[in-house]
Amino acid sequence: MKAYRNMTHDELQAQYREVLEAYESLKARKMNLNMSRGKPGKEQLDLVFDMLQQPATIEDCFMDGMDVRNYGELNGLPSARHLFADILGTRDEEVFVGGNSSLALMFGLISKAYTHGLLHSERPWSREENVKFLCPSPGYDRHFRISQTFGMELITVPMLPTGPDMDMVEQLVKDETVKGMWCVPKYSNPDGIIYSDETIDRIARLKPAAPDFALVWDNAYCVHEFEGEFIPFLDMLSLCRAQGNADMVYEFASTSKITFPGAGISCMATSPENLAYLTKLIGTETIGFDKVNQLRHVLYLKDKEHTLALMKRHAEILGPKFRAVLDALEKEIAPLQIANWQRPTGGYFVSLNAMSGTAKRTLELCKQAGLVMTNAGATYPYGIDPQDSNIRIAPTLPPVEELCRALEIFCTCLKLSALEKLLEVA
């Protein structure tokens, strides 16, 4: 195949007619496909179904010297705190275990900063004249939405192959109205980038002007390889502590893509001083989270070693799906030179950059052909991609056969939108 940009006008018109015919044929099939979110597929959920057999007996409900069915232990079951500490490489006393949603814990952190302030806040953030939050982009739309919900100004920081542009970050944090930064340090959403050791070290060494700067370290994909061996990661809490920034970092993780997204457990890891401050506020809204489910996860996952073994089985399911995406793009799109994309080895997404000005049109065409994907612009603050280029591909939910049908639609729409752009066809 010849690159579109190297074609004559007549060749482009011929290609347009051919691709349009293929597109109309796909539309006629009236398919109903959904790749809008990064959800585990049914096969993954079935994989861990036997976890629901835990606890198996009344005797199993007694752990850490307590009956887990009763009230109490706001910070979480000690064994569950230890499980997350083992996985994250941090300390038990730095871990708070919540319910099924780490996003809820993140929202809670920002909400409490807004209403009460954080440990080192001079006043609640709601009483600040202006609050800004750094948003490495492309990034996670739900992170940005939390900041936007509380009226913060979202500052876009470009993502580099090594992580956020740290030259920019180090300048921006000199502004005392910059109160924090969202980070997904391993297999970032959606690029699948692993922050380099240098980037992580520079983040840990930050000296923000705001005394209550919150580094939201969302380690959502910490054990989520689908190709190759497990890649260890640095403990951000230890690194920040060593740089005199012990209270700056709030790390989050969950079992959402390890066990059940709708019935997992989550954690927040931060300094004991931060935990002592925050649990006073959390204790007003709940006496404790679901310790029976925490126990279930402790009995089933056991420790980091057993968790990594389970993730290998997840990888056997996910690997073929990601290979299907990358193979389709390599075969159908690469020769045309109308897009470039990341080739992740873990996480839940493939991030594609289409020809500038064509992302929205591509996804509009997909929707008309029966394929729903994440909205164009969702990976940028305020839902505005300045290049109208980035598209987040979420291949994890559909079976491979269905995924291949979706990819046929997507590649056809990507071609059609590029040809429209090049030919200036309305």
Side-chain angles (χ1 to χ4, degrees):
M1 282 189 284
K2 191 176 181 181
Y4 282 174
R5 292 187 184 278
N6 295 334
M7 289 184 180
T8 65
H9 185 74
D10 288 345
E11 288 174 326
L12 285 173
Q13 286 185 319
Q15 274 291 301
Y16 175 73
R17 289 191 294 270
E18 180 181 325
V19 174
L20 182 59
E21 182 179 352
Y23 175 70
E24 294 296 340
S25 176
L26 289 170
K27 278 179 67 176
R29 296 182 194 176
K30 299 184 183 300
M31 288 182 278
N32 183 15
L33 306 168
N34 194 313
M35 292 202 306
S36 60
R37 306 301 310 184
K39 296 181 180 180
K42 180 181 182 299
E43 195 176 352
Q44 290 176 267
L45 303 179
D46 293 347
L47 177 66
V48 297
F49 186 74
D50 57 344
M51 187 183 75
L52 296 179
Q53 298 174 11
Q54 304 283 1
T57 68
I58 291 176
E59 287 72 23
D60 289 340
C61 293
F62 291 84
M63 180 172 278
D64 301 328
M66 72 183 77
D67 184 340
V68 302
R69 299 170 296 178
N70 220 322
Y71 287 127
E73 211 64 39
L74 176 62
N75 284 356
L77 192 66
S79 293
R81 298 176 73 186
H82 179 74
L83 174 63
F84 273 121
D86 186 27
I87 292 171
L88 296 176
T90 188
R91 305 187 301 199
D92 293 18
E93 62 267 26
E94 296 172 319
V95 176
F96 178 96
V97 182
N100 73 300
S101 172
S102 57
L103 188 69
L105 291 178
M106 287 181 253
F107 183 91
L109 174 71
I110 302 302
S111 175
K112 288 168 179 57
Y114 186 81
T115 57
H116 290 76
L118 299 177
L119 179 62
H120 299 294
S121 297
E122 296 175 357
R123 62 189 68 86
W125 290 7
S126 59
R127 291 170 51 195
E128 298 285 359
E129 186 173 337
N130 192 14
V131 175
K132 302 172 185 175
F133 226 84
L134 305 185
C135 302
S137 301
Y140 184 29
D141 53 335
R142 293 182 184 270
H143 284 165
F144 305 156
R145 201 181 306 168
I146 291 174
S147 294
Q148 195 173 354
T149 296
F150 290 96
M152 299 177 189
E153 181 181 345
L154 280 56
I155 307 296
T156 299
V157 175
M159 279 289 287
L160 307 178
T162 53
D165 182 339
M166 288 308 299
D167 289 343
M168 179 179 289
V169 170
E170 287 166 350
Q171 289 301 312
L172 288 169
V173 299
K174 293 178 181 179
D175 178 355
E176 64 181 8
T177 67
V178 172
K179 292 289 193 177
M181 177 166 69
W182 296 105
C183 288
V184 182
K186 187 177 178 185
Y187 302 129
S188 64
N189 180 350
D191 279 342
I193 289 170
I194 300 175
Y195 289 14
S196 70
D197 288 356
E198 180 187 359
T199 294
I200 292 172
D201 182 66
R202 289 175 71 177
I203 294 173
R205 292 175 180 271
L206 285 174
K207 298 301 178 187
D212 52 355
F213 183 90
L215 174 64
V216 185
W217 198 249
D218 185 3
N219 213 342
Y221 306 105
C222 55
V223 292
H224 296 66
E225 280 76 12
F226 56 74
E227 294 284 357
E229 297 301 313
F230 169 70
I231 298 176
F233 50 89
L234 298 170
D235 174 28
M236 197 56 167
L237 273 69
S238 296
L239 294 176
C240 287
R241 192 185 314 118
Q243 298 302 325
N245 283 332
D247 300 333
M248 180 176 76
V249 60
Y250 301 83
E251 182 173 14
F252 297 86
S254 78
T255 65
S256 290
K257 295 176 176 69
I258 298 173
T259 58
F260 298 121
I265 58 174
S266 61
C267 79
M268 173 177 63
T270 189
S271 70
E273 291 74 21
N274 277 339
L275 276 188
Y277 174 81
L278 289 170
T279 51
K280 287 182 181 179
L281 298 175
I282 296 171
T284 305
E285 61 186 273
T286 181
I287 299 172
F289 289 92
D290 185 347
K291 295 192 301 300
V292 174
N293 199 30
Q294 293 174 16
L295 169 64
R296 182 178 295 125
H297 281 76
V298 169
L299 294 173
Y300 188 76
L301 295 177
K302 295 181 173 63
D303 53 28
K304 182 177 181 178
E305 182 181 356
H306 282 83
T307 303
L308 290 176
L310 173 61
M311 297 311 291
K312 281 281 191 183
R313 298 173 68 193
H314 279 288
E316 291 171 3
I317 299 169
L318 290 175
K321 297 184 179 186
F322 279 88
R323 286 191 289 274
V325 173
L326 297 173
D327 288 349
L329 294 175
E330 198 63 40
K331 178 183 177 183
E332 296 293 330
I333 303 301
L336 306 178
Q337 298 179 17
I338 58 173
N340 59 76
W341 52 89
Q342 299 290 339
R343 292 169 172 78
T345 57
Y348 260 60
F349 305 100
V350 175
S351 180
L352 178 141
N353 291 312
M355 185 183 297
S356 181
T358 64
K360 287 182 180 178
R361 177 59 176 159
T362 297
L363 297 183
E364 177 187 337
L365 290 167
C366 284
K367 188 174 183 180
Q368 292 173 9
L371 172 62
V372 177
M373 298 181 67
T374 306
N375 290 337
T379 55
Y380 283 81
Y382 306 109
I384 301 172
D385 175 358
Q387 298 299 317
D388 185 24
S389 170
N390 188 252
I391 297 174
R392 189 179 79 171
I393 303 172
T396 57
L397 178 62
V400 173
E401 183 180 345
E402 185 177 309
L403 175 62
C404 289
R405 293 199 296 270
L407 290 168
E408 184 181 6
I409 293 174
F410 176 70
C411 289
T412 302
C413 294
L414 197 60
K415 294 174 188 177
L416 190 57
S417 63
L419 287 164
E420 288 179 348
K421 185 76 171 177
L422 291 168
L423 289 167
E424 296 184 346
V425 175

